[in-house]
Amino acid sequence: MRTELPETVNKALSMLHQAGFEAYVVGGCVRDMLMDHSPKDYDLATSAHPQAIQRVFAGFAMTLEGLKHGTVRVILNHEPLEITTFRVDGGYSDGRHPDAVRFTPSLEEDLLRRDFTINAMAYAPETGLIDPFGGRADIAARLIRCVGDPEKRFSEDALRILRGLRFAAVLDFEIHPDTLQAMERLSPKLNLISAERVEAELMKLLTGPAASRSLILGRAALCARMPCLDDAGYEERARALARLPRDADLRLAMLLGGLDEQALSGALTGLKSSRATAGRVQRARAALQKIPVPLENTALRLLIRDVGFAAAADALNLRLAQTGEAAFARALEELQGLRASGACLSLKDMRLDGGALIRSGMAPGPEMGRILNTLLDRVIQGELKNQPEDLLAAALEMARHKIE
């Protein structure tokens, strides 16, 4: 277990201890420390009430947006630290947020309200690890298990269903049978969760090394929130997804692969996907329909001409993951070679443009566009060199035949 804490965290713990309060780092950072990972951030929990926290850190900048839930964000050495009073959550009438909180002097009561055992641990240098619910053993067993009654945990906050699936995918953990059964039973509650929250968890899940297994285990939950996914090809797509790079957008394109164009657009809108993600998924799906079979001679170059390097690469990756055929792996290698070599595969790569044709006396208009595109096709097919003099001579020859 990593026991070293950042200087700012040690300072905050020390200041709270010197003022007579208990204080610990809690949650995901303790899990990461036990797994010898570097925590992205550190959350602190303390027996000090919010007003006392403010007194202890009176000389530092702080923000109080989370005050009603007992959280004070303190800025130490230009770094924000969230410090929260030990608390017990009240009811969750919206299935997402506690209606009210009650402060408690008990660290164990505070840990009891958390989602999974691996996130319900605390640590301080003076006390060492505090683990009342077996989180350390579950990490060793590579297991996601709810703290206490899983139905209660998911009834309080249905987003925990997706969080559990995401942890299983990212950490490559199994899910305890009782926890998984509760996920399935409580899955309709995911409809209480905003699209933005669902999308954020799903995209993190998709990048995990065990994303395929997690998607299959969590099929009931995911399809309760996104019924459009639930078809005969779901598990096949989920398994194929593991053969893709760990790229969330590309894997989302695979997951949504059973949808027609209209349903795909609706699913992306329903997820509130970013414009960049939605555009990439739709371009990849469109390019997938244009992959020529067989991929011989100039077929790959013409595909790149039609859809661009990025969409062609995405489409070939999707097809390779679906079929495993070596032809698509070779095509991806060739595509990278073409990209690296600066091959002429679009009008912007061609060493002749409309301005040069106008200077040669050709009138602008649709006929000029047709000539330029014909020149590009001839370059791609190896009939013409991408040299200004060769291209101009061929263009003038085409224009002359048109006049005749």
Side-chain angles (χ1 to χ4, degrees), residues 227-240:
C228 62
L229 293 179
D230 200 9
D231 63 22
Y234 178 91
E235 291 197 9
E236 182 181 347
R237 294 194 301 274
R239 290 191 179 91

Side-chain angles (χ1 to χ4, degrees), residues 7 15 60 82 98 104 110 160 177 182 187 189 201 207 247 265 268 310 326 334 353 370 382 394:
E7 181 182 347
M15 290 176 69
F60 298 88
E82 288 200 349
T104 174
D110 181 85
R160 288 170 171 169
S187 58
K189 286 187 172 290
E201 292 295 336
T207 63
D247 177 313
S265 178
L268 293 166
E334 185 181 347
D353 58 18
R370 185 190 70 80

Side-chain angles (χ1 to χ4, degrees), residues 69 89-100 156-158 193 197:
H69 292 132
D89 293 341
Y92 288 72
S93 58
D94 67 353
R96 177 71 183 96
H97 306 95
D99 299 326
E156 290 168 343
D157 180 0
I193 305 302
R197 292 283 189 173

Side-chain angles (χ1 to χ4, degrees), residues 308-322:
F309 274 107
D314 284 348
L316 290 170
N317 269 304
L318 289 168
R319 188 67 83 216
L320 176 61
Q322 289 169 335

Side-chain angles (χ1 to χ4, degrees), residues 3-262:
T3 57
E4 67 275 12
L5 296 172
E7 181 182 347
T8 52
V9 175
N10 276 321
K11 181 175 182 177
L13 292 173
S14 178
M15 290 176 69
L16 287 162
H17 291 156
Q18 289 172 13
F21 300 108
E22 292 182 60
Y24 308 87
V25 292
V26 293
C29 64
V30 182
R31 178 197 69 231
D32 289 343
M33 290 162 64
L34 278 167
M35 297 182 70
D36 285 327
H37 298 166
S38 296
K40 295 183 177 66
D41 50 38
Y42 293 82
D43 291 329
L44 277 64
T46 179
S47 59
H49 282 212
Q51 293 75 16
I53 297 172
Q54 292 175 70
R55 288 196 300 271
V56 170
F57 296 97
F60 298 88
M62 61 184 75
T63 56
L64 307 176
E65 292 92 342
L67 199 60
K68 71 176 182 177
H69 292 132
T71 299
V72 177
R73 179 175 291 180
V74 178
I75 311 301
L76 289 176
N77 297 338
H78 308 291
E79 295 181 24
L81 280 179
E82 288 200 349
I83 305 174
T84 302
T85 304
F86 298 159
R87 75 185 203 207
V88 176
D89 293 341
Y92 288 72
S93 58
D94 67 353
R96 177 71 183 96
H97 306 95
D99 299 326
V101 302
R102 172 176 62 81
F103 300 136
T104 174
S106 168
L107 170 64
E108 185 166 332
E109 279 194 309
D110 181 85
L111 296 176
L112 179 61
R113 70 180 174 82
R114 297 172 186 270
D115 51 10
F116 305 105
T117 59
I118 62 172
N119 297 329
M121 295 177 285
Y123 172 82
E126 294 81 3
T127 60
L129 180 69
I130 297 176
D131 176 21
F133 307 112
R136 186 172 201 163
D138 284 344
I139 288 174
R142 306 186 71 80
L143 191 64
I144 302 297
R145 180 167 60 91
C146 279
V147 176
D149 179 2
E151 294 218 7
K152 183 178 181 183
R153 295 286 83 84
F154 297 138
S155 294
E156 290 168 343
D157 180 0
L159 186 65
R160 288 170 171 169
I161 296 172
L162 292 182
R163 279 171 55 82
L165 294 171
R166 187 248 295 179
F167 284 129
V170 172
L171 299 176
D172 194 6
F173 280 17
E174 296 286 350
I175 301 175
H176 189 280
D178 292 346
T179 296
L180 183 59
Q181 288 168 17
M183 285 178 170
E184 293 172 350
R185 285 194 295 270
L186 276 295
S187 58
K189 286 187 172 290
L190 281 170
N191 289 305
L192 299 171
I193 305 302
S194 71
E196 291 86 351
R197 292 283 189 173
V198 171
E199 193 265 356
E201 292 295 336
L202 177 60
M203 296 302 271
K204 291 175 187 174
L205 184 162
L206 289 173
T207 63
S212 291
R213 186 182 65 214
S214 196
L215 287 169
I216 292 169
L217 287 174
R219 177 174 181 169
L222 288 166
C223 293
R225 187 61 169 79
M226 298 179 65
C228 62
L229 293 179
D230 200 9
D231 63 22
Y234 178 91
E235 291 197 9
E236 182 181 347
R237 294 194 301 274
R239 290 191 179 91
L241 184 145
R243 296 189 285 272
L244 288 168
R246 284 164 59 180
D247 177 313
D249 290 349
L250 191 56
R251 289 184 166 194
L252 181 63
M254 177 66 80
L255 184 65
L256 299 177
L259 305 181
D260 60 30
E261 187 175 341
Q262 183 176 355

Side-chain angles (χ1 to χ4, degrees), residues 324-346:
E325 292 180 13
F328 298 111
R330 290 194 297 270
L332 277 166
E333 291 179 6
E334 185 181 347
L335 180 147
Q336 297 304 329
L338 290 169
R339 176 182 274 166
S341 69
C344 177
L345 298 172
S346 69

